[in-house]
């Protein structure tokens, strides 16, 4: 059903007149699914995310539930899609709860444009509970560890209850436990709320574990898509990352990726 | 069973945190109210302080019943004390609000009308008017200096404005451009000083010191109108300004049109700063220190930060005005000198505190 699909067709975008992504087509993403965008540094992953979020000019078509999003104002975009950048800025004198309330107050969200003060407070606190950081509510943002900051950042995005959540490397700087907590939460919320999550990840193991689908991306173009085991193969790894690797399923059925070394330029397979 | 207890626990925890949050909000409102009370106090102190032999009681009763004073006394209260004191409050409020908005939209704690060239531009405008004796038809000669200062100050902010709208110019570029403006205008002022006559030079130096003695009811009224018009717009933008502190991309993703927010904020800043500087000359540090004091007191929720910045600026300026009358007995020092003397140690304190934190 087109009702709950994110459909990206012929999307082109770039900076200063230089096109980075040209006529990109992504597989349709259904509500409730988590998809990961993987690829080497400089592949254009963040550019794609920013274009999907409406933060930079793009042409083509991005439809959510059949409705065209390209050309909408930021405020209208923000009713449907929330983009979570890699980091929170330093040196901000706000408490955790204030920052989440601030995210909700920035502009009206979906159906609850006229949310009252008390409703805003209650909803913000519920999100903190859900993310498991209620105990940090009144701490200053500057007193938090990197992992805690990332959870707060996630709470700021979730409080707006977006239909599509775009996460740009949410776990790159986190320890193992926080990596798990963030990804598990994203996965659960996607299922519960019917939210679409598109996540940029460098950790292929995590991508394989938490995603319904993988988009492998290189030089502004899609190289492989599909279920984790279909997209992440020795061949695509060699082509996209230039590494010699093997994949197998462990006794729990999870995809494991083992990298044996870097390929010489002449060993990298062409398309 | 264990689950039920856990749910109760989290409900209780949520309730207690919500209560603590509301106490924090109430405390902030109380701090703003406290600042307002201190402002009124400082204003009254400013009003009753001065070289003439008027008692505080005479001054205050003269406000409500002008007939109780002799004509010379009434003139002192109504033509000197009151406009000066009102001007101090208004200029402090305007510069501090301008600084607070600048610091947020440029994401730079050192941004202020003074550090980003607005005051220097105003000095240059005034210098041109004083030294070259510009005049325009239908404009009284008295108004040429403030008018020219206003035009230059406004122009300098518009220049900054254009930079923020240029594609690819980050806020760092804008801050660097502001610093370049300071040097450029200072050099131009020095050049004008170099070619000016002895008499014009003296006038110019006095102008650039920043003094409340140029306060008249007419320019107090004009600045009051500007402040009254601008403040509601600033407060209206408070929510968006707060979200901008979470990062530009994030704020945009939350639906904030950051470019428009910057444009409107810089427009407010140019009106506030240019009008203030045009009437009283260069007043340093209020625009920098006022917002920092407010931030230290109650954080960066702009619903509180902006009013607190306004009040902190007004308070510091009123106290500086009192100090300018009392530091050297019998001498009215230009208030711009006093704010700098008070401001430099505060500025250094803030810088060291900042470097200690990071």
């Amino acid at each position: 059903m087109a009702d709950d699909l994110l459909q990206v067709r012929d999307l082109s975008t770039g900076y200063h007149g230089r096109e980075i992504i040209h006529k990109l087509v992504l597989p349709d993403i259904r509500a409730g699914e988590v998809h990961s965008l993987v690829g080497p540094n400089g592949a254009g992953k963040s550019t794609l995310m920013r274009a999907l979020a409406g933060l930079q000019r793009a042409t083509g078509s991005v439809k959510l539930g059949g409705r065209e999003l390209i050309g909408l104002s930021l405020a209208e975009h923000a009713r449907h899609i929330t983009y979570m950048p890699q980091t929170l800025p330093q040196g901000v004198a706000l408490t955790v709860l204030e920052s989440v309330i601030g995210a909700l107050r920035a502009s009206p969200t979906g159906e609850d444009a006229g949310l009252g003060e008390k409703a805003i407070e209650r909803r913000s606190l519920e999100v903190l509970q859900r993310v498991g950081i209620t105990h940090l509510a009144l701490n200053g943002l500057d007193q938090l560890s990197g992992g805690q900051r990332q959870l707060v950042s996630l709470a700021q995005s979730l409080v707006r209850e977006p239909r599509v959540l775009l996460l740009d490397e949410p776990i790159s700087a986190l320890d193992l436990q926080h990596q798990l907590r963030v990804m598990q939460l994203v996965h659960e919320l996607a299922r519960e709320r019917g939210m679409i999550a598109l996540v940029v990840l460098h950790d292929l193991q995590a991508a394989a574990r938490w995603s319904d689908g993988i988009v492998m991306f290189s030089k502004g173009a899609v190289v492989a898509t599909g279920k984790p085991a279909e997209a992440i193969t020795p061949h695509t790894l060699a082509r996209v990352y230039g590494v010699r690797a093997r994949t197998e399923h462990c006794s729990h059925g999870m995809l494991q990726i083992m990298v044996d070394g870097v390929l010489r330029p002449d060993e990298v397979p062409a398309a | 069973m264990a689950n039920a207890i856990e749910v109760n626990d989290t409900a209780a925890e949520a309730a207690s945190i919500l209560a603590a949050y509301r106490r924090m909000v109430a405390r902030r409102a109380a701090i703003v109210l406290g600042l307002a009370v201190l402002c009124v106090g400082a204003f009254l102190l400013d009003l009753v302080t001065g070289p003439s032999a008027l008692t505080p009681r005479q001054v205050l009763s003269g406000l409500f019943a002008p007939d109780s004073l002799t004509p010379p006394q009434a003139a002192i209260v109504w033509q000197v004390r009151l406009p000066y004191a009102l001007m101090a409050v208004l200029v402090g409020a305007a510069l501090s609000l301008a600084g607070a908005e600048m610091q947020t939209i440029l994401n730079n704690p050192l941004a202020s009308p003074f550090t980003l060239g607005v005051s220097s531009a105003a000095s240059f405008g005034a210098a041109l008017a004083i030294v070259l004796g510009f005049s325009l038809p239908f404009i009284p000669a008295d108004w040429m200096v403030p008018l020219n200062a206003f035009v230059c100050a406004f122009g300098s902010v518009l220049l900054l404005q254009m930079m923020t709208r240029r594609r690819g110019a980050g806020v760092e570029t804008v801050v660097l451009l502001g610093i370049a403006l300071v040097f450029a205008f200072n050099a131009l002022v020095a050049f004008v000083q170099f070619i000016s006559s002895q008499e014009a030079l003296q006038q110019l130096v006095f102008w650039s010191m920043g003094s409340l003695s140029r306060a008249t009811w007419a320019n107090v009224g004009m600045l009051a109108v500007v402040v009254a018009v601008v403040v509601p717009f600033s407060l209206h933008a408070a929510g968006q300004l707060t979200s901008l502190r979470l990062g530009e991309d994030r704020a945009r993703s939350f639906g904030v049109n950051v470019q428009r927010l910057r444009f409107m904020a810089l427009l407010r800043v140019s009106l506030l700063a240019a009008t203030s500087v045009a009437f009283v000359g260069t007043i340093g540090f209020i625009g920098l220190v006022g917002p920092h004091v407010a931030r230290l007191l109650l954080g960066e929720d702009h619903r509180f930060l902006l009013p607190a910045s306004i009040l902190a600026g007004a308070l510091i300026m009123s106290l500086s005005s009192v100090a300018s009358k009392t530091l050297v007995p019998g001498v009215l020092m230009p208030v711009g000198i006093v704010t700098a003397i008070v401001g430099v140690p505060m500025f250094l304190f803030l810088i060291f505190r900042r470097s200690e934190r990071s």
Side-chain angles (χ1 to χ4, degrees):
Chain A
M1 236 174 67
D3 259 11
D4 45 12
L5 287 184
L6 178 68
Q7 298 166 299
V8 179
R9 299 283 181 274
D10 296 329
L11 186 76
S12 302
T13 187
Y15 299 102
H16 312 306
R18 191 168 66 91
E19 206 167 65
I20 291 175
I21 291 170
H22 180 68
K23 300 233 174 217
L24 180 87
V25 177
L26 291 183
D28 293 354
I29 303 180
R30 280 207 301 271
E33 288 187 347
V34 178
H35 284 239
S36 291
L37 192 56
V38 301
N41 291 330
K45 302 184 296 290
S46 292
T47 308
L48 172 58
M49 296 289 259
R50 289 170 47 85
L52 291 176
L55 300 186
Q56 71 176 57
R57 210 182 292 245
T59 58
S61 165
V62 177
K63 283 186 181 169
L64 180 63
R67 185 167 178 217
E68 184 57 65
L69 297 183
I70 297 265
L72 288 187
S73 71
L74 281 171
E76 285 173 290
H77 233 106
R79 287 168 179 264
H80 309 290
I81 299 191
T82 299
Y83 168 72
M84 185 177 122
Q86 294 178 14
T87 50
L88 262 177
Q90 301 281 342
V92 180
L94 287 170
T95 65
V96 169
L97 184 56
E98 272 179 317
S99 78
V100 175
I101 290 174
L104 196 49
R105 254 207 215 103
S107 78
T109 59
E111 304 112 51
D112 28 48
L115 221 52
E117 189 73 13
K118 293 219 161 122
I120 286 179
E121 289 170 5
R122 211 173 309 121
R123 183 152 135 193
S124 303
L125 201 57
E126 276 165 18
V127 168
L128 293 187
Q129 282 177 306
R130 189 60 220 264
V131 179
I133 48 173
T134 323
H135 58 290
L136 299 176
L138 300 177
N139 287 34
L141 290 182
D142 270 1
Q143 303 162 354
L144 306 179
S145 73
Q148 290 170 333
R149 289 169 72 83
Q150 203 65 338
L151 290 171
V152 173
S153 176
L154 189 61
Q156 289 167 3
S157 304
L158 290 173
V159 78
R160 299 183 59 85
E161 298 184 352
R163 293 167 68 192
V164 178
L165 178 60
L166 304 172
L167 303 164
D168 200 348
E169 296 190 31
I171 60 171
S172 300
L174 303 190
D175 61 41
L176 208 49
Q177 197 212 33
H178 280 100
Q179 289 186 14
L180 274 171
R181 279 177 67 180
V182 168
M183 288 313 295
Q184 193 161 15
L185 195 63
V186 169
H187 192 260
E188 280 171 18
L189 285 164
R191 294 290 194 264
E192 268 170 40
R193 296 184 179 177
M195 178 180 80
I196 290 170
L198 186 58
V199 191
V200 171
L201 288 175
H202 275 307
D203 182 342
L204 295 176
Q205 206 80 52
R209 173 165 179 189
W210 297 107
S211 311
D212 298 294
I214 300 274
V215 175
M216 201 177 265
F217 203 64
S218 178
K219 294 177 189 154
V222 172
V223 176
T225 62
K227 292 202 183 331
E230 294 161 8
I232 304 173
T233 64
H235 179 74
T236 56
L237 291 171
R239 219 183 116 193
V240 169
Y241 292 98
V243 296
R244 186 180 297 112
R246 291 166 289 140
T247 59
E248 46 185 64
H249 286 88
C250 73
S251 55
H252 290 236
M254 281 196 279
L255 186 70
Q256 302 294 316
I257 299 142
M258 284 142 296
V259 179
D260 297 322
V262 177
L263 292 171
R264 287 197 313 270
D266 59 302
E267 291 175 324
V268 176
Chain B
M1 196 57 207
N3 233 344
I5 290 167
E6 205 170 288
V7 168
N8 276 337
D9 265 7
T10 51
E13 192 191 11
S16 80
I17 283 169
L18 210 52
Y21 171 74
R22 290 193 181 135
R23 277 199 302 278
M24 186 180 83
V25 170
R27 196 173 63 234
R28 289 185 178 170
I31 290 174
V32 172
L33 198 68
L35 277 174
V37 171
L38 286 176
C39 265
V40 173
F43 170 75
L44 291 175
L45 185 62
D46 190 13
L47 215 50
V48 300
T49 312
S52 55
L54 278 164
T55 63
R57 172 181 285 248
Q58 277 175 316
V59 174
L60 295 179
S61 63
L63 285 182
F64 299 103
D67 297 340
S68 66
L69 300 174
T70 65
Q73 286 175 331
I76 289 173
V77 172
W78 283 90
Q79 300 308 323
V80 179
R81 295 275 183 93
L82 197 53
Y84 284 25
L86 284 172
M87 193 55 133
V89 168
L90 286 168
V91 165
L95 290 177
S96 186
L97 176 60
E101 291 213 47
M102 268 181 138
Q103 287 169 11
T104 295
I105 59 167
L106 297 177
N107 188 27
N108 193 310
L110 300 184
S112 80
F114 189 80
T115 45
L116 295 187
V118 184
S119 304
S120 310
S123 294
F124 174 63
L128 284 182
I130 291 169
V131 173
L132 303 181
F134 272 163
S135 68
L136 286 173
F138 310 117
I139 306 279
D142 292 358
W143 285 85
M144 273 319 296
V145 175
L147 183 72
N148 222 22
F150 177 84
V151 168
C152 284
F154 200 74
S156 77
V157 186
L158 287 186
L159 202 63
L160 285 179
Q161 179 82 277
M162 272 162 52
M163 285 302 292
T164 63
R165 290 181 76 80
R166 240 189 65 172
R167 268 202 321 172
V171 285
E172 299 84 7
T173 321
V174 177
V175 172
L176 287 175
L177 180 82
I179 292 167
L181 284 182
V182 173
F183 285 105
F185 281 119
N186 284 350
L188 287 171
V189 169
F191 176 71
V192 173
Q193 285 177 341
F194 181 69
I195 60 167
S196 67
S197 68
Q198 196 66 40
E199 190 193 347
L201 183 65
Q202 202 171 10
Q203 219 184 327
L204 181 56
V205 167
F206 183 66
W207 191 91
S208 65
M209 278 176 184
S211 165
L212 294 166
S213 64
R214 283 183 289 272
T216 63
W217 279 107
N219 50 35
V220 165
M222 279 181 68
L223 184 55
V225 168
V226 169
V227 170
V229 167
V230 167
V231 166
F233 286 101
S234 294
L235 295 180
H236 183 70
Q240 298 201 329
L241 290 168
T242 304
S243 71
L244 187 55
R245 293 299 292 133
L246 303 176
E248 181 165 348
D249 268 355
R250 202 179 300 260
R252 293 180 70 208
S253 165
F254 294 160
V256 176
N257 187 336
V258 172
Q259 203 174 42
R260 192 185 144 77
L261 181 67
R262 282 219 174 93
F263 178 82
M264 295 308 289
L266 272 179
L267 202 63
R268 294 193 289 270
V269 166
S270 39
L271 276 172
L272 291 169
T275 317
S276 309
V277 177
F279 289 143
V280 296
T282 309
I283 307 272
F285 293 105
I286 298 284
L288 187 69
V289 169
H292 278 292
V293 170
R295 195 173 289 118
L296 287 173
L297 283 175
L298 39 64
E300 287 189 284
D301 181 342
H302 282 59
R303 292 177 306 159
F304 299 109
L305 177 65
L306 295 180
S309 296
I310 292 172
L311 292 168
L315 177 63
I316 298 171
M317 195 66 192
S318 277
L319 292 177
S320 299
S321 171
V322 172
S324 74
K325 291 185 251 185
T326 48
L327 275 184
V328 184
V331 176
L332 176 61
M333 273 168 60
V335 74
I337 298 177
V338 178
T339 61
I341 290 171
V342 177
V344 171
M346 275 179 96
F347 185 61
L348 291 176
F349 169 75
L350 289 167
I351 291 175
F352 288 128
R353 206 186 133 94
R354 196 176 134 76
S355 57
E356 267 169 29
R357 268 199 203 156
S358 58

